[in-house]
Amino acid sequence: MSKTHLGHTARKRFGQNFLHDEYVIGNIVAAIAPKPGQNLLEIGPGLGALTDPVCEEVDALTVVELDRDLAKRLRHHPFHGQKLSIIEQDALTLDFSQVAQSLPAERGKLRVFGNLPYNISTPLMFHLFSHAKHIADMHFMLQKEVVTRLAAGPGSKHYGRLSVMAQYYCAITPVLQVPPGAFKPPPKVDSAVVRLIPHATPPVDVESVELLESVCAKVFNQRRKTLRNGLKELLTDTQISDLGIDPGVRAEVLPLSDFAKLANAVARNTAQEEG
Ligand code: SAM
């Protein structure tokens, strides 16, 4: 299978799999529903598979592209001219809040989208979550397995740390499945598009998001362990049962609200130790 598409040879290190299926592209753009007057931002525009049709609908689009050659191509694009603002940078280190604040406020929060480089998609989403208050919504192409994990609920074998943390920040809706043949070169895995809408206020109160993360990391590290074993350095059996949670269960059955209770109990312990 050729790695060259529209005269550009795909770079594996940048996770380059270019969309070429017009039907799939049309469905993704319909899901994003871009409108003039909005602050749209694309991560990894590449050869413009999504950039071109989105640009047709809107009056302004900001794109973030790490590959110098692709950024250069976009700068010389024959049609998009004034509409495109190109940020040539690693999206993982971009201050999305600063970008949002530099754009016209009347256009609202950022609407972020992209066919993400799969090698960095999870850290990139977590980076975006840390800027969630400036983001209205996100539409991302990801590995299908990642979308399944993002959207999984308690009791599912796909439910884990990624599900709990992503659902703390966002409402998550799988939108569409995409087969490898829609890309050039085709990736080795199935893909899917997901919509993530940051919550206006978090669905649960947590004293510290870092503690929520570390509780999730501990209890999902060894999925077969009971809570009692996974949290033995942080909480006693009694402290867990006092929260109305059975210390003998496994983490994969607990809803987000229970993770919040556990994290807040750890925060109380830490405060007592320090006080
Ligand atoms: N949007 C195009 C499409 O759908 O055909 C390209 C998608 S391709 C899967 C991922 C794109 O992200 C590439 O253009 C790649 O160069 C760019 N990219 C990779 N790593 C990046 C990073 N850290 N920051 C910004 N862009 C990145």
Side-chain angles (χ1 to χ4, degrees):
M1 177 62 68
S2 168
K3 288 199 162 67
T4 303
H5 182 48
L6 302 175
H8 173 86
T9 302
R11 293 184 167 117
K12 205 173 169 192
R13 70 177 185 284
F14 290 148
Q16 292 179 349
N17 298 96
F18 299 106
L19 271 169
H20 71 100
D21 182 318
E22 291 300 331
Y23 177 73
V24 169
I25 292 169
N27 281 338
I28 298 172
V29 176
I32 301 170
K35 303 259 176 344
Q38 298 178 332
N39 273 328
L40 287 139
L41 185 148
E42 180 178 9
I43 298 175
L47 293 162
L50 299 172
T51 323
D52 292 349
V54 168
C55 251
E56 276 175 28
E57 304 291 325
V58 301
D59 50 354
L61 171 62
T62 303
V63 298
V64 186
E65 176 57 66
L66 180 60
D67 184 319
R68 189 193 298 173
D69 294 336
L70 294 178
K72 187 171 166 197
R73 268 174 91 123
L74 284 166
R75 270 195 287 276
H76 295 97
H77 195 283
F79 310 120
H80 302 328
Q82 300 295 317
K83 286 188 184 179
L84 269 190
S85 305
I86 301 161
I87 303 176
E88 189 184 318
Q89 199 186 315
D90 182 348
L92 278 173
T93 60
L94 182 65
D95 184 339
F96 285 89
S97 301
Q98 199 178 43
V99 173
Q101 282 158 341
S102 72
L103 293 167
E106 65 276 12
R107 288 173 169 267
K109 294 184 181 184
L110 292 178
R111 301 200 61 214
V112 185
F113 67 96
N115 169 15
L116 295 188
Y118 293 169
N119 48 345
I120 59 159
S121 64
T122 302
L124 187 52
M125 278 189 289
F126 276 90
H127 178 57
L128 284 154
F129 294 157
S130 69
H131 297 280
K133 76 171 185 233
H134 294 284
I135 298 175
D137 61 14
M138 301 178 263
H139 290 84
F140 292 136
M141 175 86 77
L142 302 167
Q143 287 182 46
K144 186 176 145 196
E145 186 227 321
V146 175
V147 172
T148 309
R149 288 200 279 132
L150 283 170
S156 153
K157 67 173 194 250
H158 303 286
Y159 185 62
R161 184 179 168 187
L162 182 64
S163 331
V164 175
M165 290 313 300
Q167 291 167 30
Y168 170 73
Y169 286 106
C170 295
I172 292 163
T173 320
V175 173
L176 148 99
Q177 297 196 19
V178 183
F183 305 83
K184 276 187 187 167
K188 292 198 173 67
V189 291
D190 282 330
S191 301
V193 177
V194 67
R195 176 181 295 128
L196 303 112
I197 303 183
H199 298 298
T201 45
V204 291
D205 284 329
V206 290
E207 302 278 322
S208 149
V209 181
E210 288 73 29
L211 280 180
L212 181 65
E213 286 210 42
S214 69
V215 164
C216 286
K218 278 210 179 335
V219 297
F220 283 115
N221 194 17
Q222 284 170 288
R223 295 184 71 88
R224 300 186 60 77
K225 269 194 183 175
T226 57
L227 283 185
R228 170 183 296 124
N229 284 332
L231 293 175
K232 65 172 180 280
E233 289 150 25
L234 299 174
L235 295 172
T236 63
D237 254 35
T238 320
Q239 284 174 324
I240 299 176
S241 8
D242 283 353
L243 302 168
I245 302 170
D246 176 357
V249 300
R250 290 183 192 154
E252 63 204 37
V253 302
L254 296 187
L256 171 61
S257 52
D258 282 351
F259 285 102
K261 285 184 196 162
L262 291 166
N264 289 341
V266 177
R268 282 194 294 277
N269 273 359
T270 317
Q272 264 170 11
E273 277 161 25
E274 283 168 3

